[in-house]
Amino acid sequence: MKPRVAVLISGGGSNMVKLLESMEGDHPAEPVLVLANSDSAGGLAKAQALGTQSDFVDHRLYGEDRAAFEDALIAKLDAVNADLICLAGFMRVLTSHFIERYDGLMLNIHPSLLPKYKGLHTHARALEAGDTEAGCTVHEVTAKLDDGPIIEQARVPILSNDTPDKLAARVLIEEHRIYPSALRRFVEAL
Ligand code: GRF
């Protein structure tokens, strides 16, 4: 049976769209759910338009209780028998409670050349440091933030007139390329 993929998002979901499109036709995995942490995530409607069920769990209802929020996510994921999780711009930190549930079955895309610039504001930090290149990384998720075995990276040169936004736009193009290819490679190796 094909692994059943759920994509977790917080925003516009452009990476999610590329993942869903990549799983059309002959692919070793199938998308079953797009799950957001707010009903305002723009990607929810895009998932529906692509024929994939979408849903949300509003993290604000759970306050500081991360385990309860994560249990609500897990309940939605269990309802569709999801077995592989792709984080795609999901902006909530997940604890080991959630991560251990999907041990070895969760991927993330991060807009830096990990292990450099874990966390937020990656492009501004790369520019501030005077780096000559930036990029993005698809990696397996482990309990440590933006850590875990690297599956694929893409490099983007930093230009002399770059701003964080300009750089982010060029890195995003590479994110859209490597996330689908890393997902396929990961599933083929399961
Ligand atoms: C991407 O740059 C992702 O790497 C970062 O947030 C952005 C999400 O973009 N963590 P989108 O929602 O996939 O368009």
Side-chain angles (χ1 to χ4, degrees):
M1 253 190 37
K2 288 184 177 193
R4 296 167 65 80
V5 177
V7 187
L8 270 57
I9 62 167
S10 295
S14 67
N15 278 292
M16 172 275 294
V17 165
K18 296 295 175 188
L19 289 175
L20 295 191
E21 287 173 349
S22 79
M23 286 184 273
E24 285 168 6
D26 178 29
H27 195 279
E30 60 177 321
V32 293
L33 182 66
V34 170
L35 187 55
N37 61 299
S38 164
D39 64 346
S40 63
L44 290 173
K46 295 177 195 167
Q48 294 281 14
L50 286 166
T52 298
Q53 188 183 327
S54 70
D55 205 346
F56 68 94
V57 176
D58 189 341
H59 70 271
R60 290 166 301 188
L61 300 179
Y62 298 88
E64 298 296 301
D65 193 348
R66 285 187 190 268
F69 168 61
E70 292 176 354
D71 282 338
L73 292 175
I74 291 168
K76 302 266 188 198
L77 294 164
D78 281 349
V80 296
N81 294 316
D83 31 41
L84 182 59
I85 310 296
C86 289
L87 305 179
F90 187 70
M91 301 308 283
R92 305 302 300 169
V93 171
L94 293 164
T95 72
S96 55
H97 175 65
F98 186 93
I99 292 167
E100 279 164 15
R101 172 74 173 65
Y102 299 99
D103 187 28
L105 291 166
M106 181 154 39
L107 307 184
N108 181 41
I109 183 132
H110 185 73
S112 79
L113 292 171
L114 289 175
K116 274 189 152 182
Y117 311 128
K118 298 176 182 183
L120 298 173
H121 311 301
T122 54
H123 306 301
R125 287 156 69 199
L127 290 174
E128 247 164 56
D131 290 359
T132 55
E133 62 176 7
C136 49
T137 305
V138 179
H139 65 97
E140 289 181 43
V141 176
T142 58
K144 274 173 82 181
L145 182 72
D146 297 329
D147 207 90
I150 290 173
I151 301 168
E152 196 160 338
Q153 285 188 314
R155 293 170 185 278
V156 169
I158 290 182
L159 308 178
S160 57
N161 63 344
D162 254 337
T163 63
D165 284 350
K166 283 195 209 169
L167 180 57
R170 296 204 313 285
V171 170
L172 191 61
I173 292 168
E174 293 302 305
E175 293 181 38
H176 293 165
R177 187 176 63 76
I178 68 167
Y179 209 173
S181 91
L183 172 62
R184 179 182 274 273
R185 190 132 55 89
F186 184 79
V187 172
E188 282 171 351
L190 281 178

